[in-house]
Amino acid sequence: MDNCINNLIIKGSGNSTGGNFKTVNIKGNGEIEGNIECNNMKVEGGCTVYGNLEAKTVEIKGSCTVKGSCQATDIDIQGSADFDDDVSVGDIIAKGRININGNFNAEKFHMEGAFKIRGLLNSGELELKLHGPSEAREIGGEKITVKREARFIFKRLEKLITPYGFNTCLITDIIEGDEIYLEYTKAKIIRGNNIELGPGCEIELIEYKDSYKQDENAVVNNYKKM
Amino acid sequence: MKSDLISKKDLLELTEISYGQLYRWKRKNLIPEEWFIRKSTFTGQETFFPKERILERIGKIKNMKGDISLDDLANMLSPNLMKLLMNSEKLVDRNIVSKTVIDFYIQEKGKTDEFDFEKILYLHILDKLFKLGKINFEEAIIILNLLEENYPKYNGKNCQLIFIRKLGISSSCLVSEPSEIHFESNTNIIESLNISKQIEELKIKIA
């Protein structure tokens, strides 16, 4: 990857078979019909990768679809991204919408928007600001924070379109972590050391080790200290 | 091939690690994906692990994580082969394999100055079987040929070496993991070795 000097630049509309590149820059619309390996990838507009994507940094403004697996050190998404397979990344910052059909590994995952993850979301530091209905099969990690913090403009728009809070929540089966703070989350089981629930949570079972706090607007069927 | 499982909750209690640690190690590939066995129980989905192997692995991680970084540790525990060459004197000097095995190899395969990781692995396995007294020289040839011809076909995937004997006639085979294999009752399974485990042992010896 490092000794490769070729760049792939698509401005307008174009396609490539993939390969090894130093930088990949797509402005407009690009299709990559195979695996791609590069240092930096930047997409402004739309991009579809039909193979696997391996990169150091990925920056997406617009939309991007990856049909294979994705591995990167840093990912920055503003817009929407679809991954059909597993995703492993160091740090990821996303504003918009993410759809992952496989498992998702990230050391740091900061997200504003909505996501849908079919597999396990495994993240060291997870910070979610919900702006729409989100889903994950399982969530695991060290520090997990889920908030619904609509920005001013969103809040007003949201109020116009939907009555406040309509289905803007996180739905998942299991959340397991060390430090957990949740708002507007529906889950079957939550397990952790320190658990704090904010408003709008509907949880069937909570198992905590050290501490547990609960907002009066949270619905919890059962909780116990392990 | 053992069906002894431990639930995630029991595992964490027993080993005194937290969910966060377990998930971090999983992210770093210190614990292989296939050990996470999802089963439905009356409380919903639960995750189970093969008890013996996970306990051994977690013990190893806890012991070693002070000395080296998690990434190096992951490298060491991964079943991928290392890239290295060593000559026979160094192998004997550092006590990685015994001289007997190297002599045996040279006698069978001709003079070899440098051994790559794959060859060292085969020697390590033979060495182990010799020391356990499970095989003799003739049988070692069978195993060596089997490994040389067929192990590369697994492309780094985990597999198991099974050595059997029936009425004094010996044979050996490689099977991918996890799989079930049954022999008729007259066949004795002399030894079955998990190759990734051998790789792990060898990497620790070399490091």
CSV table of all heavy atoms in Angstrom, one decimal, chain A residues 120-181:
chain,number,residue,atom,x,y,z
A,120,LEU,N,-23.4,-7.8,15.4
A,120,LEU,CA,-22.9,-7.3,16.7
A,120,LEU,C,-22.2,-6.0,16.5
A,120,LEU,O,-21.4,-5.8,15.6
A,120,LEU,CB,-22.0,-8.3,17.3
A,120,LEU,CG,-21.1,-7.8,18.5
A,120,LEU,CD1,-21.9,-7.7,19.7
A,120,LEU,CD2,-20.0,-8.8,18.8
A,121,LEU,N,-22.6,-5.0,17.3
A,121,LEU,CA,-21.9,-3.7,17.3
A,121,LEU,C,-20.9,-3.8,18.5
A,121,LEU,O,-21.3,-3.8,19.7
A,121,LEU,CB,-22.9,-2.6,17.5
A,121,LEU,CG,-22.3,-1.2,17.9
A,121,LEU,CD1,-21.3,-0.7,17.0
A,121,LEU,CD2,-23.5,-0.2,18.0
A,122,ASN,N,-19.6,-3.9,18.2
A,122,ASN,CA,-18.6,-4.0,19.2
A,122,ASN,C,-17.7,-2.8,19.2
A,122,ASN,O,-17.0,-2.6,18.3
A,122,ASN,CB,-17.8,-5.3,19.0
A,122,ASN,CG,-16.8,-5.6,20.0
A,122,ASN,OD1,-16.5,-4.7,20.9
A,122,ASN,ND2,-16.2,-6.8,20.0
A,123,SER,N,-17.8,-2.0,20.3
A,123,SER,CA,-17.0,-0.7,20.2
A,123,SER,C,-16.5,-0.4,21.6
A,123,SER,O,-17.2,-0.5,22.6
A,123,SER,CB,-18.0,0.4,19.7
A,123,SER,OG,-17.4,1.6,19.8
A,124,GLY,N,-15.3,0.1,21.6
A,124,GLY,CA,-14.7,0.5,22.9
A,124,GLY,C,-15.4,1.7,23.5
A,124,GLY,O,-15.8,1.7,24.6
A,125,GLU,N,-15.5,2.7,22.7
A,125,GLU,CA,-16.2,3.9,23.1
A,125,GLU,C,-17.3,4.2,22.1
A,125,GLU,O,-17.1,4.4,21.0
A,125,GLU,CB,-15.2,5.1,23.2
A,125,GLU,CG,-15.7,6.3,23.9
A,125,GLU,CD,-14.8,7.5,23.8
A,125,GLU,OE1,-13.6,7.3,24.0
A,125,GLU,OE2,-15.2,8.5,23.4
A,126,LEU,N,-18.5,4.2,22.6
A,126,LEU,CA,-19.7,4.3,21.7
A,126,LEU,C,-20.5,5.5,22.2
A,126,LEU,O,-20.9,5.6,23.3
A,126,LEU,CB,-20.5,3.0,21.8
A,126,LEU,CG,-21.9,3.0,21.1
A,126,LEU,CD1,-21.7,3.1,19.6
A,126,LEU,CD2,-22.6,1.7,21.4
A,127,GLU,N,-20.6,6.5,21.3
A,127,GLU,CA,-21.4,7.6,21.6
A,127,GLU,C,-22.5,7.9,20.5
A,127,GLU,O,-22.1,8.1,19.4
A,127,GLU,CB,-20.5,8.8,21.8
A,127,GLU,CG,-21.1,9.8,22.8
A,127,GLU,CD,-20.2,11.0,22.9
A,127,GLU,OE1,-19.0,10.8,23.4
A,127,GLU,OE2,-20.6,12.1,22.6
A,128,LEU,N,-23.7,7.7,20.9
A,128,LEU,CA,-24.8,7.9,19.8
A,128,LEU,C,-25.6,9.0,20.2
A,128,LEU,O,-26.1,9.2,21.3
A,128,LEU,CB,-25.6,6.6,19.8
A,128,LEU,CG,-25.0,5.3,19.4
A,128,LEU,CD1,-26.1,4.2,19.6
A,128,LEU,CD2,-24.5,5.4,18.0
A,129,LYS,N,-25.9,9.8,19.2
A,129,LYS,CA,-26.9,10.8,19.3
A,129,LYS,C,-28.0,10.5,18.3
A,129,LYS,O,-27.8,10.6,17.1
A,129,LYS,CB,-26.4,12.2,19.0
A,129,LYS,CG,-25.5,12.7,20.2
A,129,LYS,CD,-24.9,14.0,19.9
A,129,LYS,CE,-24.0,14.4,21.1
A,129,LYS,NZ,-23.1,15.5,20.7
A,130,LEU,N,-29.1,10.0,18.8
A,130,LEU,CA,-30.2,9.5,17.9
A,130,LEU,C,-31.0,10.6,17.3
A,130,LEU,O,-31.4,11.5,17.9
A,130,LEU,CB,-31.1,8.6,18.8
A,130,LEU,CG,-30.6,7.3,19.3
A,130,LEU,CD1,-31.6,6.7,20.2
A,130,LEU,CD2,-30.3,6.4,18.2
A,131,HIS,N,-31.1,10.5,16.0
A,131,HIS,CA,-32.0,11.4,15.2
A,131,HIS,C,-33.1,10.6,14.5
A,131,HIS,O,-33.8,11.1,13.7
A,131,HIS,CB,-31.2,12.2,14.3
A,131,HIS,CG,-30.4,13.3,14.9
A,131,HIS,ND1,-30.9,14.2,15.7
A,131,HIS,CD2,-29.0,13.5,14.9
A,131,HIS,CE1,-30.0,15.0,16.2
A,131,HIS,NE2,-28.8,14.6,15.7
A,132,GLY,N,-33.1,9.3,14.7
A,132,GLY,CA,-34.1,8.5,13.9
A,132,GLY,C,-34.1,7.1,14.5
A,132,GLY,O,-33.2,6.8,15.4
A,133,PRO,N,-35.0,6.3,14.0
A,133,PRO,CA,-35.0,4.9,14.6
A,133,PRO,C,-33.7,4.1,14.2
A,133,PRO,O,-33.3,4.1,13.1
A,133,PRO,CB,-36.2,4.3,13.9
A,133,PRO,CG,-36.5,5.2,12.7
A,133,PRO,CD,-36.0,6.5,13.0
A,134,SER,N,-33.2,3.5,15.2
A,134,SER,CA,-31.9,2.8,15.0
A,134,SER,C,-32.1,1.4,15.6
A,134,SER,O,-32.8,1.1,16.5
A,134,SER,CB,-30.8,3.5,15.7
A,134,SER,OG,-30.6,4.7,15.2
A,135,GLU,N,-31.3,0.5,15.0
A,135,GLU,CA,-31.4,-0.9,15.4
A,135,GLU,C,-30.0,-1.6,15.4
A,135,GLU,O,-29.2,-1.3,14.6
A,135,GLU,CB,-32.2,-1.7,14.3
A,135,GLU,CG,-33.6,-2.1,14.8
A,135,GLU,CD,-34.3,-2.8,13.6
A,135,GLU,OE1,-33.9,-3.9,13.2
A,135,GLU,OE2,-35.1,-2.1,13.0
A,136,ALA,N,-29.8,-2.5,16.3
A,136,ALA,CA,-28.6,-3.3,16.3
A,136,ALA,C,-29.0,-4.6,17.0
A,136,ALA,O,-29.8,-4.6,17.9
A,136,ALA,CB,-27.4,-2.7,17.0
A,137,ARG,N,-28.4,-5.8,16.5
A,137,ARG,CA,-28.8,-7.0,17.2
A,137,ARG,C,-28.3,-7.1,18.6
A,137,ARG,O,-29.0,-7.4,19.5
A,137,ARG,CB,-28.3,-8.2,16.4
A,137,ARG,CG,-28.9,-9.5,16.7
A,137,ARG,CD,-28.1,-10.7,16.1
A,137,ARG,NE,-26.8,-10.8,16.7
A,137,ARG,CZ,-25.8,-11.4,16.2
A,137,ARG,NH1,-25.9,-11.9,15.0
A,137,ARG,NH2,-24.6,-11.5,16.8
A,138,GLU,N,-27.0,-6.7,18.7
A,138,GLU,CA,-26.3,-6.8,20.0
A,138,GLU,C,-25.3,-5.6,20.1
A,138,GLU,O,-24.7,-5.3,19.1
A,138,GLU,CB,-25.5,-8.1,20.2
A,138,GLU,CG,-26.2,-9.2,20.9
A,138,GLU,CD,-25.3,-10.4,20.9
A,138,GLU,OE1,-24.2,-10.4,21.6
A,138,GLU,OE2,-25.6,-11.3,20.2
A,139,ILE,N,-25.2,-5.1,21.3
A,139,ILE,CA,-24.2,-4.0,21.5
A,139,ILE,C,-23.3,-4.4,22.6
A,139,ILE,O,-23.7,-4.8,23.7
A,139,ILE,CB,-24.8,-2.7,21.7
A,139,ILE,CG1,-25.7,-2.3,20.6
A,139,ILE,CG2,-23.8,-1.6,22.0
A,139,ILE,CD1,-26.5,-1.0,20.8
A,140,GLY,N,-22.0,-4.3,22.4
A,140,GLY,CA,-21.0,-4.6,23.5
A,140,GLY,C,-19.9,-3.6,23.4
A,140,GLY,O,-19.5,-3.1,22.4
A,141,GLY,N,-19.3,-3.3,24.6
A,141,GLY,CA,-18.2,-2.4,24.6
A,141,GLY,C,-17.8,-2.0,26.0
A,141,GLY,O,-18.3,-2.6,27.0
A,142,GLU,N,-17.0,-1.0,26.1
A,142,GLU,CA,-16.6,-0.5,27.4
A,142,GLU,C,-17.5,0.6,27.9
A,142,GLU,O,-18.1,0.6,28.9
A,142,GLU,CB,-15.1,-0.1,27.3
A,142,GLU,CG,-14.1,-1.2,27.4
A,142,GLU,CD,-13.0,-1.1,26.4
A,142,GLU,OE1,-12.1,-0.3,26.6
A,142,GLU,OE2,-13.0,-1.9,25.4
A,143,LYS,N,-17.5,1.7,27.1
A,143,LYS,CA,-18.3,2.9,27.5
A,143,LYS,C,-19.4,3.1,26.4
A,143,LYS,O,-19.1,3.3,25.2
A,143,LYS,CB,-17.4,4.1,27.5
A,143,LYS,CG,-18.0,5.2,28.2
A,143,LYS,CD,-16.9,6.3,28.6
A,143,LYS,CE,-17.5,7.4,29.4
A,143,LYS,NZ,-17.8,8.6,28.6
A,144,ILE,N,-20.6,3.0,26.8
A,144,ILE,CA,-21.7,3.1,25.9
A,144,ILE,C,-22.6,4.2,26.3
A,144,ILE,O,-23.1,4.3,27.4
A,144,ILE,CB,-22.5,1.8,25.8
A,144,ILE,CG1,-21.6,0.6,25.3
A,144,ILE,CG2,-23.7,1.9,24.9
A,144,ILE,CD1,-22.2,-0.7,25.4
A,145,THR,N,-22.8,5.2,25.4
A,145,THR,CA,-23.6,6.3,25.7
A,145,THR,C,-24.6,6.5,24.6
A,145,THR,O,-24.2,6.7,23.4
A,145,THR,CB,-22.8,7.6,25.8
A,145,THR,OG1,-21.7,7.4,26.7
A,145,THR,CG2,-23.6,8.8,26.4
A,146,VAL,N,-25.9,6.5,24.9
A,146,VAL,CA,-26.9,6.7,23.9
A,146,VAL,C,-27.8,7.9,24.3
A,146,VAL,O,-28.4,7.8,25.4
A,146,VAL,CB,-27.8,5.5,23.7
A,146,VAL,CG1,-28.9,5.7,22.6
A,146,VAL,CG2,-26.9,4.3,23.2
A,147,LYS,N,-27.9,8.9,23.5
A,147,LYS,CA,-28.7,10.1,23.9
A,147,LYS,C,-29.6,10.4,22.7
A,147,LYS,O,-29.2,10.2,21.5
A,147,LYS,CB,-27.8,11.3,24.2
A,147,LYS,CG,-27.2,11.2,25.5
A,147,LYS,CD,-26.3,12.3,25.8
A,147,LYS,CE,-25.6,12.2,27.2
A,147,LYS,NZ,-24.6,13.2,27.4
A,148,ARG,N,-30.7,11.1,23.0
A,148,ARG,CA,-31.4,11.7,21.9
A,148,ARG,C,-31.4,13.2,22.1
A,148,ARG,O,-32.0,13.7,23.0
A,148,ARG,CB,-32.9,11.2,22.0
A,148,ARG,CG,-33.6,11.6,20.6
A,148,ARG,CD,-35.0,11.1,20.6
A,148,ARG,NE,-35.8,11.9,21.5
A,148,ARG,CZ,-37.1,11.6,21.6
A,148,ARG,NH1,-37.7,10.7,20.9
A,148,ARG,NH2,-37.8,12.4,22.3
A,149,GLU,N,-30.6,13.8,21.3
A,149,GLU,CA,-30.3,15.2,21.5
A,149,GLU,C,-30.5,15.9,20.2
A,149,GLU,O,-29.6,16.1,19.4
A,149,GLU,CB,-28.8,15.3,21.9
A,149,GLU,CG,-28.5,16.4,22.8
A,149,GLU,CD,-27.1,16.3,23.2
A,149,GLU,OE1,-26.2,16.6,22.4
A,149,GLU,OE2,-26.8,16.0,24.4
A,150,ALA,N,-31.8,16.1,19.9
A,150,ALA,CA,-32.1,16.7,18.6
A,150,ALA,C,-31.6,18.2,18.6
A,150,ALA,O,-31.7,18.9,19.6
A,150,ALA,CB,-33.6,16.7,18.4
A,151,ARG,N,-31.0,18.6,17.5
A,151,ARG,CA,-30.6,20.0,17.4
A,151,ARG,C,-31.9,20.8,17.2
A,151,ARG,O,-32.9,20.3,16.9
A,151,ARG,CB,-29.7,20.2,16.2
A,151,ARG,CG,-28.3,19.7,16.5
A,151,ARG,CD,-27.4,20.3,15.4
A,151,ARG,NE,-26.4,19.4,15.1
A,151,ARG,CZ,-26.0,19.1,13.8
A,151,ARG,NH1,-26.6,19.7,12.8
A,151,ARG,NH2,-25.1,18.2,13.6
A,152,PHE,N,-31.7,22.1,17.4
A,152,PHE,CA,-32.9,23.0,17.4
A,152,PHE,C,-33.7,22.9,16.2
A,152,PHE,O,-34.9,22.6,16.2
A,152,PHE,CB,-32.4,24.4,17.6
A,152,PHE,CG,-33.5,25.4,17.8
A,152,PHE,CD1,-34.4,25.2,18.8
A,152,PHE,CD2,-33.7,26.5,16.9
A,152,PHE,CE1,-35.5,26.1,19.0
A,152,PHE,CE2,-34.7,27.3,17.1
A,152,PHE,CZ,-35.6,27.2,18.1
A,153,ILE,N,-33.0,22.9,15.0
A,153,ILE,CA,-33.8,22.9,13.8
A,153,ILE,C,-34.4,21.5,13.6
A,153,ILE,O,-35.6,21.4,13.1
A,153,ILE,CB,-32.8,23.3,12.6
A,153,ILE,CG1,-33.6,23.2,11.3
A,153,ILE,CG2,-31.6,22.3,12.5
A,153,ILE,CD1,-33.0,24.1,10.2
A,154,PHE,N,-33.7,20.5,14.0
A,154,PHE,CA,-34.3,19.1,13.9
A,154,PHE,C,-35.5,19.0,14.7
A,154,PHE,O,-36.5,18.5,14.3
A,154,PHE,CB,-33.2,18.1,14.3
A,154,PHE,CG,-32.3,17.7,13.2
A,154,PHE,CD1,-30.9,17.8,13.5
A,154,PHE,CD2,-32.7,17.3,12.0
A,154,PHE,CE1,-30.0,17.5,12.5
A,154,PHE,CE2,-31.8,16.9,11.0
A,154,PHE,CZ,-30.5,17.0,11.2
A,155,LYS,N,-35.4,19.5,15.9
A,155,LYS,CA,-36.4,19.4,16.9
A,155,LYS,C,-37.7,20.0,16.3
A,155,LYS,O,-38.8,19.4,16.4
A,155,LYS,CB,-36.0,20.1,18.2
A,155,LYS,CG,-36.3,19.3,19.4
A,155,LYS,CD,-35.7,20.1,20.6
A,155,LYS,CE,-35.7,19.2,21.8
A,155,LYS,NZ,-34.9,19.8,22.9
A,156,ARG,N,-37.6,21.1,15.7
A,156,ARG,CA,-38.8,21.8,15.2
A,156,ARG,C,-39.4,21.0,14.0
A,156,ARG,O,-40.6,20.9,13.9
A,156,ARG,CB,-38.5,23.3,14.9
A,156,ARG,CG,-38.6,24.1,16.1
A,156,ARG,CD,-38.2,25.5,15.9
A,156,ARG,NE,-39.0,26.3,15.0
A,156,ARG,CZ,-38.7,27.5,14.6
A,156,ARG,NH1,-37.6,28.0,15.1
A,156,ARG,NH2,-39.4,28.2,13.8
A,157,LEU,N,-38.4,20.6,13.2
A,157,LEU,CA,-38.9,19.9,12.0
A,157,LEU,C,-39.6,18.6,12.4
A,157,LEU,O,-40.6,18.2,11.9
A,157,LEU,CB,-37.7,19.5,11.1
A,157,LEU,CG,-37.3,20.5,10.0
A,157,LEU,CD1,-36.1,20.0,9.3
A,157,LEU,CD2,-38.5,20.6,9.0
A,158,GLU,N,-38.9,17.9,13.4
A,158,GLU,CA,-39.4,16.7,13.9
A,158,GLU,C,-40.8,16.8,14.4
A,158,GLU,O,-41.7,16.0,14.2
A,158,GLU,CB,-38.5,16.2,15.0
A,158,GLU,CG,-38.4,14.7,15.1
A,158,GLU,CD,-37.5,14.2,16.2
A,158,GLU,OE1,-36.4,14.8,16.2
A,158,GLU,OE2,-37.8,13.4,17.0
A,159,LYS,N,-41.0,17.9,15.2
A,159,LYS,CA,-42.3,18.2,15.8
A,159,LYS,C,-43.4,18.4,14.7
A,159,LYS,O,-44.5,18.0,14.8
A,159,LYS,CB,-42.2,19.4,16.6
A,159,LYS,CG,-42.0,19.1,18.1
A,159,LYS,CD,-42.1,20.4,18.9
A,159,LYS,CE,-41.7,20.1,20.3
A,159,LYS,NZ,-41.6,21.4,21.1
A,160,LEU,N,-42.9,19.0,13.6
A,160,LEU,CA,-43.9,19.2,12.5
A,160,LEU,C,-44.3,17.9,11.8
A,160,LEU,O,-45.4,17.7,11.5
A,160,LEU,CB,-43.2,20.2,11.4
A,160,LEU,CG,-43.2,21.7,11.8
A,160,LEU,CD1,-42.4,22.4,10.7
A,160,LEU,CD2,-44.6,22.2,11.9
A,161,ILE,N,-43.3,17.1,11.6
A,161,ILE,CA,-43.5,15.9,10.8
A,161,ILE,C,-44.2,14.8,11.7
A,161,ILE,O,-45.2,14.2,11.3
A,161,ILE,CB,-42.2,15.3,10.2
A,161,ILE,CG1,-41.6,16.4,9.3
A,161,ILE,CG2,-42.5,14.1,9.4
A,161,ILE,CD1,-40.2,16.2,8.9
A,162,THR,N,-43.5,14.5,12.8
A,162,THR,CA,-44.1,13.5,13.7
A,162,THR,C,-44.3,14.1,15.1
A,162,THR,O,-43.7,15.0,15.5
A,162,THR,CB,-43.0,12.3,13.9
A,162,THR,OG1,-41.8,12.9,14.4
A,162,THR,CG2,-42.7,11.7,12.6
A,163,PRO,N,-45.3,13.5,15.8
A,163,PRO,CA,-45.5,14.0,17.2
A,163,PRO,C,-44.2,13.6,17.9
A,163,PRO,O,-43.5,12.7,17.6
A,163,PRO,CB,-46.6,13.1,17.7
A,163,PRO,CG,-46.8,12.0,16.7
A,163,PRO,CD,-46.2,12.5,15.4
A,164,TYR,N,-43.8,14.4,18.9
A,164,TYR,CA,-42.5,14.3,19.5
A,164,TYR,C,-42.1,12.9,19.9
A,164,TYR,O,-42.8,12.2,20.6
A,164,TYR,CB,-42.4,15.3,20.7
A,164,TYR,CG,-41.1,15.3,21.3
A,164,TYR,CD1,-40.0,15.9,20.6
A,164,TYR,CD2,-40.8,14.7,22.5
A,164,TYR,CE1,-38.8,16.0,21.2
A,164,TYR,CE2,-39.6,14.8,23.1
A,164,TYR,CZ,-38.6,15.4,22.4
A,164,TYR,OH,-37.3,15.4,22.9
A,165,GLY,N,-41.0,12.5,19.4
A,165,GLY,CA,-40.4,11.2,19.9
A,165,GLY,C,-40.9,10.0,19.2
A,165,GLY,O,-40.6,8.9,19.5
A,166,PHE,N,-41.8,10.2,18.2
A,166,PHE,CA,-42.3,9.0,17.5
A,166,PHE,C,-41.2,8.2,16.9
A,166,PHE,O,-40.5,8.6,16.1
A,166,PHE,CB,-43.3,9.5,16.4
A,166,PHE,CG,-43.9,8.4,15.7
A,166,PHE,CD1,-44.8,7.5,16.3
A,166,PHE,CD2,-43.6,8.2,14.3
A,166,PHE,CE1,-45.4,6.4,15.6
A,166,PHE,CE2,-44.1,7.1,13.6
A,166,PHE,CZ,-45.0,6.3,14.3
A,167,ASN,N,-41.1,7.0,17.4
A,167,ASN,CA,-40.2,5.9,17.0
A,167,ASN,C,-38.7,6.4,16.9
A,167,ASN,O,-37.9,5.6,16.3
A,167,ASN,CB,-40.7,5.1,15.8
A,167,ASN,CG,-40.4,5.8,14.5
A,167,ASN,OD1,-39.8,6.8,14.4
A,167,ASN,ND2,-41.0,5.2,13.5
A,168,THR,N,-38.3,7.5,17.4
A,168,THR,CA,-36.9,7.8,17.4
A,168,THR,C,-36.3,7.1,18.6
A,168,THR,O,-36.2,7.7,19.7
A,168,THR,CB,-36.7,9.3,17.5
A,168,THR,OG1,-37.2,9.8,16.3
A,168,THR,CG2,-35.2,9.6,17.6
A,169,CYS,N,-36.0,5.9,18.5
A,169,CYS,CA,-35.3,5.2,19.6
A,169,CYS,C,-34.4,4.1,19.1
A,169,CYS,O,-34.4,3.8,17.9
A,169,CYS,CB,-36.4,4.6,20.5
A,169,CYS,SG,-37.3,3.3,19.7
A,170,LEU,N,-33.7,3.5,20.0
A,170,LEU,CA,-32.7,2.5,19.7
A,170,LEU,C,-33.3,1.1,20.1
A,170,LEU,O,-33.8,1.0,21.2
A,170,LEU,CB,-31.4,2.7,20.4
A,170,LEU,CG,-30.4,1.6,20.3
A,170,LEU,CD1,-29.9,1.4,18.9
A,170,LEU,CD2,-29.2,1.9,21.3
A,171,ILE,N,-33.4,0.2,19.1
A,171,ILE,CA,-34.0,-1.1,19.5
A,171,ILE,C,-32.8,-2.1,19.4
A,171,ILE,O,-32.1,-2.2,18.4
A,171,ILE,CB,-35.1,-1.5,18.5
A,171,ILE,CG1,-36.2,-0.4,18.6
A,171,ILE,CG2,-35.6,-2.9,18.8
A,171,ILE,CD1,-37.3,-0.6,17.6
A,172,THR,N,-32.7,-2.9,20.4
A,172,THR,CA,-31.7,-3.9,20.4
A,172,THR,C,-32.0,-5.1,21.4
A,172,THR,O,-32.9,-4.9,22.2
A,172,THR,CB,-30.3,-3.3,20.8
A,172,THR,OG1,-29.3,-4.4,20.8
A,172,THR,CG2,-30.3,-2.6,22.1
A,173,ASP,N,-31.4,-6.2,21.2
A,173,ASP,CA,-31.7,-7.4,22.1
A,173,ASP,C,-30.9,-7.2,23.4
A,173,ASP,O,-31.4,-7.2,24.5
A,173,ASP,CB,-31.3,-8.7,21.4
A,173,ASP,CG,-32.3,-9.2,20.5
A,173,ASP,OD1,-33.4,-8.6,20.5
A,173,ASP,OD2,-32.1,-10.2,19.8
A,174,ILE,N,-29.6,-7.1,23.3
A,174,ILE,CA,-28.7,-7.1,24.4
A,174,ILE,C,-27.7,-6.0,24.4
A,174,ILE,O,-27.2,-5.7,23.3
A,174,ILE,CB,-27.9,-8.4,24.5
A,174,ILE,CG1,-28.8,-9.6,24.5
A,174,ILE,CG2,-27.0,-8.5,25.7
A,174,ILE,CD1,-28.1,-11.0,24.4
A,175,ILE,N,-27.5,-5.3,25.5
A,175,ILE,CA,-26.4,-4.3,25.6
A,175,ILE,C,-25.5,-4.8,26.8
A,175,ILE,O,-26.0,-5.0,27.9
A,175,ILE,CB,-26.9,-2.9,25.8
A,175,ILE,CG1,-27.8,-2.5,24.7
A,175,ILE,CG2,-25.7,-2.0,26.0
A,175,ILE,CD1,-28.4,-1.1,24.9
A,176,GLU,N,-24.2,-5.0,26.5
A,176,GLU,CA,-23.3,-5.4,27.5
A,176,GLU,C,-22.1,-4.4,27.5
A,176,GLU,O,-21.5,-4.2,26.5
A,176,GLU,CB,-22.8,-6.8,27.3
A,176,GLU,CG,-23.9,-7.8,27.6
A,176,GLU,CD,-23.5,-9.2,27.2
A,176,GLU,OE1,-22.7,-9.4,26.3
A,176,GLU,OE2,-24.1,-10.1,27.7
A,177,GLY,N,-21.8,-3.9,28.7
A,177,GLY,CA,-20.6,-2.9,28.7
A,177,GLY,C,-20.2,-2.6,30.2
A,177,GLY,O,-20.9,-3.1,31.1
A,178,ASP,N,-19.2,-1.8,30.3
A,178,ASP,CA,-18.8,-1.4,31.7
A,178,ASP,C,-19.6,-0.2,32.2
A,178,ASP,O,-20.2,-0.2,33.2
A,178,ASP,CB,-17.3,-1.1,31.7
A,178,ASP,CG,-16.5,-2.3,31.4
A,178,ASP,OD1,-17.1,-3.4,31.4
A,178,ASP,OD2,-15.3,-2.2,31.0
A,179,GLU,N,-19.5,0.9,31.4
A,179,GLU,CA,-20.2,2.1,31.8
A,179,GLU,C,-21.3,2.3,30.7
A,179,GLU,O,-21.1,2.5,29.5
A,179,GLU,CB,-19.3,3.3,31.7
A,179,GLU,CG,-18.0,3.2,32.4
A,179,GLU,CD,-18.1,3.2,33.9
A,179,GLU,OE1,-19.0,3.9,34.4
A,179,GLU,OE2,-17.4,2.4,34.6
A,180,ILE,N,-22.6,2.3,31.2
A,180,ILE,CA,-23.7,2.4,30.2
A,180,ILE,C,-24.6,3.6,30.6
A,180,ILE,O,-25.1,3.7,31.8
A,180,ILE,CB,-24.5,1.1,30.2
A,180,ILE,CG1,-23.6,0.0,29.8
A,180,ILE,CG2,-25.6,1.2,29.2
A,180,ILE,CD1,-24.2,-1.4,29.8
A,181,TYR,N,-24.8,4.5,29.7
A,181,TYR,CA,-25.9,5.5,29.9
A,181,TYR,C,-26.8,5.4,28.7
A,181,TYR,O,-26.4,5.5,27.5
A,181,TYR,CB,-25.3,6.9,30.0
A,181,TYR,CG,-26.4,8.0,30.1
A,181,TYR,CD1,-27.0,8.2,31.3
A,181,TYR,CD2,-26.8,8.6,28.9
A,181,TYR,CE1,-28.0,9.2,31.4
A,181,TYR,CE2,-27.8,9.6,29.0
A,181,TYR,CZ,-28.4,9.8,30.2
A,181,TYR,OH,-29.5,10.7,30.3
